[in-house]
Amino acid sequence: MNHFPEAWGRPRDEIYGAYNPTYLPSSLGGAHQPTTRTQSPIVTGTSVLALKFSTGVVIAADNLASYGSLARFTDVHRLKPFNKRAVVGFGGDVSDMQYLDRLLNSLDVEENYTSSTGDSKQGGEEGLVDAPLMSAKNLHTYLAKVMYKRRTDFNPLWNALLIVGLDDQSQPFLASADLLGTTFSAPSLATGFGAHLAQPILRRVVPNEAASRELSREKAVEAIKECMKVLFYRDARSMNEYSIAVVDENGVELSENEKLENQSWAFADRIKGYGTQVV
Amino acid sequence: MTSIGTGYDLSNSVFSPDGRNFQVEYAVKAVENGGTAIGIRCKDGVVLALEKLVTSKLLKKDANKRIATVDRNAGVVHSGLLPDGRHFVSRARDEASSWRGTYKAPIPGSALANRMGAYVQAYTLYNSVRPFGITAIIGGYDAETELSVDGAVGNGPKVGAGGKTQGVKEGGPFLYMVEPSGLYWGYYGAATGKGRQAAKAELEKLKLDPKEGNCISLEEGVKEAARIIYVAHEDSKDKEFELEMTWISSMSGPTKGRHEEVPKALREEAERLAKKSMEGEEEEEEKMEG
């Protein structure tokens, strides 16, 4: 059987005119374009960087949201603490970040329905334990599934996420999830331009898991700050104000108004080959 | 009871000739048998407390919590039929989350109480349903500080057009009680359940009006709440009970604007003081008699 509706038992063309296919998609001779969803992000945040150290994880992202190449919003905080053990860093589309933030907000409210005390500890006397907090690992699994579901629906959330914090064994945890639903884990991670510009530097500091277990908190923060500086030098969608967070046993320490220090643009006049400049 | 045999009590939504809805009054009777629940609105927060009667020795101690969190900033304690209370809480959670969905901010206490009052009232109107067999106490804290809009990035202007009016005080602790009829009021101190008379008498002795000054603090409130539950339990002394307490303060207080269980150490201290004050009273009575 011919399944195309224009071929079904039709009145004669010479009397009633030809079949009007305008409502059909263009592939069938109609005027309609295929249904499409997000094809590209609109307002975007650039790289997110994170690095594991002996007792926790450092994460950083700058405070800029760009509209194309326009530096549109300069006070956008892209690190969102989820609870005392997990922080999410968002790269990519800012409105999708807001959606995910609300999703995480409602998840957190639901997680706390079974009331727990403020002095929540993992374990305790008499087996009277508060419901354990969701770990960064749990959160990563959840977010990765959300991202994968959305890309499978051909309606992706245009973000690259880094999820940092502590896992169920209170060990440092760092993993990524992106708009394709791909997950990846390593002792150091960077999204966006950072994957090209910062990742090599971070890998020099922490070449493998063993090295990250040896790394001190101070060294880790220093390395991340250095990478933020390199990114500001070379990434045209970046900014010199940024947020940085450290998650360890003591909880989340978030600072949202850091400024890049000790910049040196001495290298700049040696760079040739861009724009109208003649080499 | 005057209602029996008249026929006007057989169906919900039917008035008796003297203007009463007997089904609602029977629901109130169901509440009167429940463990005592109280709420105290203090200067800097709210305490909810419950006398949880132990119905079986086979139930795990301190498990099966009865005071529920509805949103970060609000909790509900109820007395009466347990499953009705569960349903009430579930609806309250739905209301709180749908408010967030619309307004991207936590639901104010007044709005939550209003919606729950309307919901409970609807169960007095139709004869396919029965009224709620609970009285619920809703307590919480409307943020005084600027809360970021859920999911928002960046900040708006600090003052002026599109910004904030400076020096305006907003928010604060709230406490409401919803009855089976759907009636609800805001209270300084609320009590329901079996020991409500004794509890109310105790609540009235407390300084709770913020306008009069020296209104009690949250920590004092926790201790008073524990004591009042012990006082209210006097009449059913033969039965065992567990004290369940939650509290909520402002963002700058001990719970950081969240509705949480009172920490174990503080609860045990409050219970110790409550027991001590009960013993003290008994001794005084003995002296008077002697």
Side-chain angles (χ1 to χ4, degrees), chain A residues 75-77 80 94 97-98 101-102 105 108-109 112-119 125-128 130, chain B residues 60-62 67 69-72 93 100 104 150-155 246 258-264:
Chain A
D75 59 350
V76 173
H77 303 139
K80 305 284 180 192
V94 168
M97 167 179 100
Q98 291 176 312
D101 187 32
R102 287 183 191 127
N105 221 342
D108 179 56
V109 169
N112 288 299
Y113 277 164
T114 43
S115 169
S116 58
T117 51
D119 47 18
E125 66 277 45
E126 300 163 38
L128 303 175
D130 284 337
Chain B
K60 188 179 165 192
K61 203 167 166 293
D62 283 335
I67 308 182
T69 302
V70 156
D71 199 336
R72 275 187 198 140
R93 284 172 177 166
R100 273 189 191 267
K104 315 298 179 207
D150 289 355
V153 292
N155 305 298
T246 63
R258 282 170 173 262
H259 174 253
E260 286 172 350
E261 209 173 297
V262 173
K264 203 168 167 231

Side-chain angles (χ1 to χ4, degrees), chain B residues 25-224:
Chain B
E25 291 182 22
Y26 297 162
V28 173
K29 287 267 181 277
V31 176
E32 286 172 5
N33 294 322
T36 313
I38 65 164
I40 306 177
R41 180 186 181 277
C42 311
K43 186 173 62 191
D44 48 353
V46 176
V47 195
L48 299 177
L50 173 72
E51 170 207 25
K52 193 167 72 183
L53 297 166
V54 178
T55 50
S56 163
K57 284 208 160 58
L58 297 173
L59 288 169
K60 188 179 165 192
K61 203 167 166 293
D62 283 335
N64 303 312
K65 295 288 184 214
R66 285 261 310 276
I67 308 182
T69 302
V70 156
D71 199 336
R72 275 187 198 140
N73 68 328
V76 167
V77 62
H78 52 85
S79 181
L81 303 182
L82 232 94
D84 289 28
R86 287 271 157 76
H87 179 67
F88 180 94
V89 165
S90 155
R91 176 69 186 202
R93 284 172 177 166
D94 287 351
E95 290 291 355
S97 112
S98 95
W99 182 281
R100 273 189 191 267
T102 311
Y103 301 107
K104 315 298 179 207
I107 189 168
S110 55
L112 181 61
N114 177 277
R115 288 180 172 204
M116 292 317 293
Y119 186 66
V120 167
Q121 193 271 151
Y123 278 70
T124 67
L125 296 176
Y126 307 98
N127 87 5
S128 53
V129 293
R130 62 168 176 77
F132 276 79
I134 56 152
T135 290
I137 298 172
I138 305 172
Y141 208 101
D142 290 333
E144 285 165 326
T145 48
E146 182 75 12
L147 279 184
S148 60
V149 177
D150 289 355
V153 292
N155 305 298
K158 295 234 162 30
V159 288
K164 293 90 202 170
T165 319
Q166 269 182 328
V168 175
K169 191 185 172 291
E170 289 175 340
F174 64 80
L175 183 69
Y176 291 88
M177 185 159 76
V178 188
E179 293 171 30
S181 61
L183 175 89
Y184 73 93
W185 296 114
Y187 289 88
Y188 289 140
T192 179
K194 197 175 259 173
R196 69 197 171 287
Q197 296 297 0
K200 274 184 202 162
E202 291 297 321
L203 284 167
E204 280 167 17
K205 291 181 202 159
L206 302 179
K207 294 244 179 296
L208 296 175
D209 188 346
K211 284 188 210 78
E212 280 174 17
N214 65 24
C215 174
I216 67 167
S217 72
L218 187 56
E219 290 226 358
E220 287 170 316
V222 167
K223 285 167 187 160
E224 290 296 344

